[in-house]
Amino acid sequence: MTESEHIVDRLLEAGLTPVSEPIRDPADKSHYFVFIKVERNPIGRQVPSRQSIDSARQLLSEDGVVVDVLLLDTTSQDIEAGARATVLYAFPDLVRNLFLSVTHRDAMVWIDAKRSLDEDHRLAISERLGLFLSSFALSLSSLTQLGEGNAPGKLALLRQIRASAPVTAEELREKLTRKGLSVPSADWLTRRLDVLRKASEVVRLGDGSYVPSAATIRALGTTLHGRSSPDVSRLLALARGKR
């Protein structure tokens, strides 16, 4: 039995399903990468569990084989979900969340980190993502830590929603991008909007579009003159929409 076959047998015994042959690290012949299929049970928990994966890795380690696991979320078949699961599993103390956007064959990734990432951390995360994305014939074109890039903050989101309301998430993303802001992904924006909605700062209408709440309109304030006034911005946006 080859070492690769031994790894697969160990994983199957632990209830883990490899989706491809183990990939040997060219720099270390006792180090392998394995893609594992994961799903979500009815209450949203990952199956197989992190504990099951760690136990299998420990058994292989006792056999003298180091295996790094990359997770593929087969419930949604979503590349972003798989990348998120892989990075959160590998770097639980560093990363809180991950967002991904794909253009052609290039993947841009934004990391919501628990603390500032140094160069070694960035390199390790980039290498893990690069290997994961390669299974989809994608390459990592950028890795940005949220807060360091040009992602819109809460105030920018609220101002744009007020100027464009009612506005859908897709329309909002388009408008923010035109202003030179970097929106990590549709999922990132949806999550931000959901946070604003739960805080009663925006209202989601029946057709899925968003408007600012009365409290937000009061908080943003109103000035009587100038193009920077929220009310003037709103009028200008409406005028442009009628052309």
Side-chain angles (χ1 to χ4, degrees), residues 58-155:
Q58 180 58 37
L59 287 173
L60 286 164
S61 177
E62 291 170 5
D63 295 336
V65 182
V66 178
V67 172
D68 272 334
V69 173
L70 298 100
L71 308 181
L72 291 176
D73 191 324
T74 57
T75 302
S76 62
Q77 294 296 312
D78 183 351
I79 297 173
E80 182 181 64
R84 181 182 295 120
T86 290
V87 171
L88 292 184
Y89 171 77
F91 306 97
D93 298 328
L94 292 176
V95 179
R96 183 178 295 107
N97 213 335
L98 175 149
F99 303 95
L100 178 147
S101 179
V102 176
T103 303
H104 303 303
R105 307 313 300 172
D106 293 327
M108 295 166 286
V109 173
W110 287 261
I111 296 289
D112 182 5
K114 295 181 178 179
R115 60 178 185 271
S116 183
L117 301 176
D118 60 29
E119 285 307 309
D120 288 341
H121 291 147
R122 287 175 182 273
L123 181 60
I125 293 171
S126 294
E127 288 177 344
R128 181 60 59 94
L129 280 169
L131 186 61
F132 172 84
L133 292 168
S134 67
S135 67
F136 299 95
L138 297 174
S139 60
L140 179 65
S141 65
S142 66
L143 176 66
T144 304
Q145 183 175 340
L146 287 174
E148 295 178 344
N150 197 28
K154 183 174 106 170
L155 188 56

Side-chain angles (χ1 to χ4, degrees), residues 11 17 27 32 46 72 80 116 121 161 212 222 226 228:
L11 293 173
T17 307
Y32 288 82
Q46 178 182 294
L72 291 176
E80 182 181 64
S116 183
H121 291 147
I161 291 169
T222 301
S228 62

